[in-house]
């Protein structure tokens, strides 16, 4: 599951396992999480702030006073900012501070201020871990609702072997991912997304297509994935780097192929997003051989393609949600409203080619969102990932969702 858009506060305390927090940071960042690290003073005996700030791409914090940026070293702000406060490794000392409300450094003050869920991954020697004082501290933290990532067994820094090793970073990542998936609002929901362009073959080497890069559709797919949905993507030919394994992914070329794939899945879907730029026309015939340039002009007969959104819109069940896009160059609002009704969408996202920063290829978009209920929302120019979040957030305003 992608952690895109998730804000994770990673606490690192003084333990030999602190070196693993570098690997953990890298894994979290790779999955798209924004990671802010707070180190206890003794953590820096085991790993340098420079290593962790390089990997997290943010300054590492350890004291109350403000740094040059002036904003981060506020434990209340940090506590409010995070979606998850993960402390890995957590030493016996910091466990005890958390359990008893001791507030003598930035990390423990942030713990007391955090409104988000807290996960801790203890690391210590096996006898320390088994000590009743530590075990009762762990139970106390559990009783506060904190999530304990049990220490794993194996070789310990002391040379002894037993339970006490910090959970491996890959296992922590899996816990974090399943934590977000379990609280995700679209858990159990199936979402279909058409995206990218279609290619309509003229002959074995040429086709008619458009400039869609698939960026908008992919941003939506990632947004739904990060909120727990099972995401079925039907993509026209794109050249984006995608981790297709996170999705139920089908590559198609033509509008006909896209329609057939979408039609097959449609009845099982809860939400369908039509973000693809589907060619409206296709050559009446595909020339079996490469068309030769014999004449000054060349006429090609085109026939209308199937309209995927209109066809599936006619089959839409009462509990299904359909979201469409309108890409316009003129009479934007009128055309979008017309498509909203004609294609039986619950909402339509208008992007205008006249707006700079909006439309094909770019990493940004600027949209107007029109609900069938009459509600409308306008965005600024924002990264497509944020536009996707805005669109997904609008689903709660669709009557059949409530
Ligand atoms: O991929 P990017 O480079 O990031 O660009 C994003 C985008 C501009 C392609 C995207 O945001 C967008 O606007 N997609 C829809 C473009 C489009 O085809 O608009 P339209 O107004 O022609 O179609 C209206 C709706 O009907 C769309 O939801 C479209 O997917 C759907 N449609 C259209 C024709 C057709 N034959 N079948 C369809 O399903």
């Amino acid at each position: 599951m992608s952690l895109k858009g998730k804000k994770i506060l990673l606490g690192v305390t003084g333990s030999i396992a602190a070196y693993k927090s570098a690997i953990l940071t890298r894994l979290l960042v790779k999955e798209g999480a924004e990671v802010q690290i707070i180190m206890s003073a003794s953590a820096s005996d085991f790993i340098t702030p420079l290593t962790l700030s390089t990997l997290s791409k943010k300054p590492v914090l350890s004291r109350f006073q403000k740094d040059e940026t002036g904003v981060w070293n506020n434990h209340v702000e940090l506590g409010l900012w995070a979606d998850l406060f993960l402390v890995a490794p957590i030493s016996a000392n910091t466990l005890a501070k958390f359990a008893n409300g001791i507030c003598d450094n930035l990390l423990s003050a942030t713990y007391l201020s955090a409104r988000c869920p807290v996960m801790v991954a203890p690391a210590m020697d096996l006898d320390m871990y088994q000590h009743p004082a530590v075990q009762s501290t762990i139970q106390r933290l559990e009783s506060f609702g904190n999530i304990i990532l049990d220490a794993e067994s194996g070789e310990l820094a002391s040379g002894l072997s037993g339970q006490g090793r910090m959970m491996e970073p890959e296992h922590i990542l899996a816990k974090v991912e399943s934590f977000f998936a379990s609280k995700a609002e679209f858990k159990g929901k199936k979402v279909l997304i058409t995206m990218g362009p279609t290619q309509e073959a003229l002959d074995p080497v040429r086709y008619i297509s458009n400039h869609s890069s698939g960026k908008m559709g992919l941003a939506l797919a990632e947004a739904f994935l990060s909120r727990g949905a099972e995401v079925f993507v039907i993509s026209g030919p794109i050249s984006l780097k995608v981790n297709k394994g996170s999705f139920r992914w089908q590559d198609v070329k033509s509008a006909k192929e896209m329609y057939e794939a979408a039609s097959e899945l449609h009845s099982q879907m809860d939400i369908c997003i039509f973000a693809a730029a589907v060619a409206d026309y296709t050559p009446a015939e595909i020339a079996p051989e490469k068309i030769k340039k014999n004449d000054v002009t060349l006429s090609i007969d085109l026939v209308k393609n199937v309209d995927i959104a209109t066809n599936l819109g006619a089959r839409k069940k009462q509990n299904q949600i359909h979201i469409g896009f309108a890409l316009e160059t003129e009479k934007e609002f009128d055309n979008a409203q017309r498509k909203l009704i004609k294609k039986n969408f619950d909402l339509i996202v208008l992007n205008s080619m006249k707006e700079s920063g909006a439309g094909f290829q770019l990493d940004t978009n600027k949209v107007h969102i029109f609900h069938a209920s009459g509600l409308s929302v306008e965005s600024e120019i924002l990264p497509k990932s944020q536009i996707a979040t805005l669109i997904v957030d609008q689903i709660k305003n669709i009557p059949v969702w409530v």
Side-chain angles (χ1 to χ4, degrees), residues 194-197 210-218 220 238 240 255 258 273-281 305-311 323-328 335 339 343 345 348-351 353 358-365 367 384:
T194 69
M195 56 170 262
N210 59 64
H211 298 293
S212 172
S213 62
K215 286 180 184 172
M216 191 64 248
L218 184 61
L220 279 157
I238 55 165
L240 300 175
M258 188 173 274
I273 316 272
F274 300 91
V278 185
D280 288 324
Y281 288 87
N305 256 331
V306 58
D307 190 310
I308 304 168
T310 304
N311 260 272
I323 295 180
F325 274 80
L327 180 65
E328 304 296 339
N335 285 332
K339 287 176 185 172
K343 303 198 182 201
F345 290 140
I348 193 157
V349 181
L350 164 66
N351 31 203
M353 292 301 284
F360 284 137
Q361 298 279 334
L362 302 168
D363 291 328
T364 56
N365 209 352
V367 298
K384 282 184 173 161

Side-chain angles (χ1 to χ4, degrees), residues 123-130 156-161 163-165:
M124 61 199 80
D125 211 58
L126 81 163
D127 295 312
M128 289 173 74
Y129 194 62
Q130 290 310 329
L156 299 163
S158 60
L160 297 173
S161 192
Q163 192 180 11
R165 287 168 65 90

Side-chain angles (χ1 to χ4, degrees), residues 341-355:
I341 296 162
K342 186 176 164 220
K343 303 198 182 201
N344 199 13
F345 290 140
D346 294 278
L347 68 79
I348 193 157
V349 181
L350 164 66
N351 31 203
S352 167
M353 292 301 284
K354 283 197 176 143
E355 299 268 14

Side-chain angles (χ1 to χ4, degrees), residues 320-339:
Q320 283 181 313
I321 289 176
H322 279 199
I323 295 180
F325 274 80
L327 180 65
E328 304 296 339
T329 57
E330 53 163 358
K331 295 188 188 152
E332 289 99 328
F333 285 31
D334 290 350
N335 285 332
Q337 293 286 358
R338 191 175 44 76
K339 287 176 185 172

Side-chain angles (χ1 to χ4, degrees), residues 11-18 39-43 46 86-100 104-105 107-108 119-125 128-129 133-135 137-138 141 148-149 151 164-166:
V12 181
T13 71
S15 158
I16 186 70
M39 291 174 87
S40 71
S42 60
F46 297 91
L86 168 66
V87 189
I90 189 164
S91 62
N93 190 34
T94 300
L95 274 174
K97 284 185 190 178
F98 282 10
N100 292 290
D104 63 350
N105 62 24
L107 187 65
S108 52
M119 251 183 204
V120 297
M124 61 199 80
D125 211 58
M128 289 173 74
Y129 194 62
V134 170
Q135 285 301 315
T137 301
I138 287 176
L141 287 177
I148 312 296
L149 304 179
R165 287 168 65 90
M166 185 181 90

Side-chain angles (χ1 to χ4, degrees), residues 197-201 207-210 236-238 252-255 277 279 282:
T198 63
Q199 286 180 359
E200 310 299 325
Y207 55 78
I208 299 171
S209 190
N210 59 64
I238 55 165
V252 294
K253 281 207 168 110
S254 64
T282 192

